[in-house]
Amino acid sequence: MDVSDLLTEAYDRLPDLVRAAVDGLSPEQLRHQPGPGANTVGWLVWHLTRVQDHHVADLLDADQIWVSGDWAGRFGLAADPDDTGYGHSPAQVAAVRPESAQALIDYYEAVAAHTGSFLAGLGPADLDRVVDEAWDPPVTLGVRLVSVAEDDLQHVGQAAYVRGLIQAD
């Protein structure tokens, strides 16, 4: 298996997981906080999508999907390319108000398509390219892509867990 196929296999698992976490939930359920300060299903899926969108656009030196079209409006937010949810307060988590589960699915699928196109063109040598020198050691493309996948997988699992709590109520 070449590196492009391997990364594609990892990232291609996410769309089904995202769909399973949100499909059929009402806007109110997407915004339900299972406890004080807890993340909502909507916020978790929005955040994991924002992180992937932000990081892949940065790697491509391209615009984020988030700032094109009316994505931000579908979530009750501004189209701020720097807002990925990192460090959000409980009030900021509550401010992420997806209009529907479909809005989350549509945004994720648009980002996943962008990511998939990027991954399809990668070769082994590309993974050694340093993409962030602010860290010690500097972050390579390979490390960044694994980091994004790991973050997305954790958050989609959390969203599935919160969905289970909502359905148990």
Side-chain angles (χ1 to χ4, degrees), residues 4-90:
S4 175
D5 291 342
L6 178 66
L7 289 166
T8 298
E9 175 66 27
Y11 278 85
D12 276 357
R13 294 174 183 222
L14 285 159
D16 287 340
L17 297 171
V18 165
R19 255 183 248 99
V22 303
D23 195 34
L25 294 181
S26 69
E28 294 75 24
Q29 289 172 315
L30 292 170
R31 295 189 292 259
H32 174 75
Q33 289 181 288
N39 294 328
T40 67
V41 170
W43 184 89
L44 287 161
V45 173
W46 170 82
H47 168 65
L48 73 87
T49 309
R50 287 293 302 122
V51 168
Q52 187 177 142
D53 188 10
H54 177 275
H55 284 30
V56 170
D58 184 55
L59 294 171
L60 290 168
D61 195 28
D63 288 336
Q64 297 172 31
I65 303 296
W66 182 248
V67 299
S68 65
D70 187 33
W71 293 110
R74 293 180 74 184
F75 292 84
L77 299 170
D80 180 353
D82 295 322
D83 185 8
T84 63
Y86 182 77
H88 266 189
S89 68

Side-chain angles (χ1 to χ4, degrees), residues 30-165:
L30 292 170
R31 295 189 292 259
H32 174 75
Q33 289 181 288
N39 294 328
T40 67
V41 170
W43 184 89
L44 287 161
V45 173
W46 170 82
H47 168 65
L48 73 87
T49 309
R50 287 293 302 122
V51 168
Q52 187 177 142
D53 188 10
H54 177 275
H55 284 30
V56 170
D58 184 55
L59 294 171
L60 290 168
D61 195 28
D63 288 336
Q64 297 172 31
I65 303 296
W66 182 248
V67 299
S68 65
D70 187 33
W71 293 110
R74 293 180 74 184
F75 292 84
L77 299 170
D80 180 353
D82 295 322
D83 185 8
T84 63
Y86 182 77
H88 266 189
S89 68
Q92 289 170 305
V93 168
V96 176
R97 302 180 64 81
E99 66 185 19
S100 66
Q102 194 61 50
L104 289 158
I105 293 167
D106 290 349
Y107 178 43
Y108 187 79
E109 287 179 349
V111 170
H114 196 224
T115 300
S117 295
F118 174 60
L119 296 176
L122 291 180
D126 296 321
L127 298 181
D128 292 329
R129 177 173 60 94
V130 172
V131 297
D132 190 346
E133 294 187 6
W135 298 91
D136 185 20
V139 177
T140 64
L141 176 60
V143 168
R144 177 62 45 87
L145 289 171
V146 167
S147 175
V148 170
E150 178 263 341
D151 186 70
D152 282 3
L153 288 165
Q154 282 195 48
H155 288 311
V156 79
Q158 293 165 353
Y161 179 78
V162 174
R163 178 192 179 104
L165 294 174

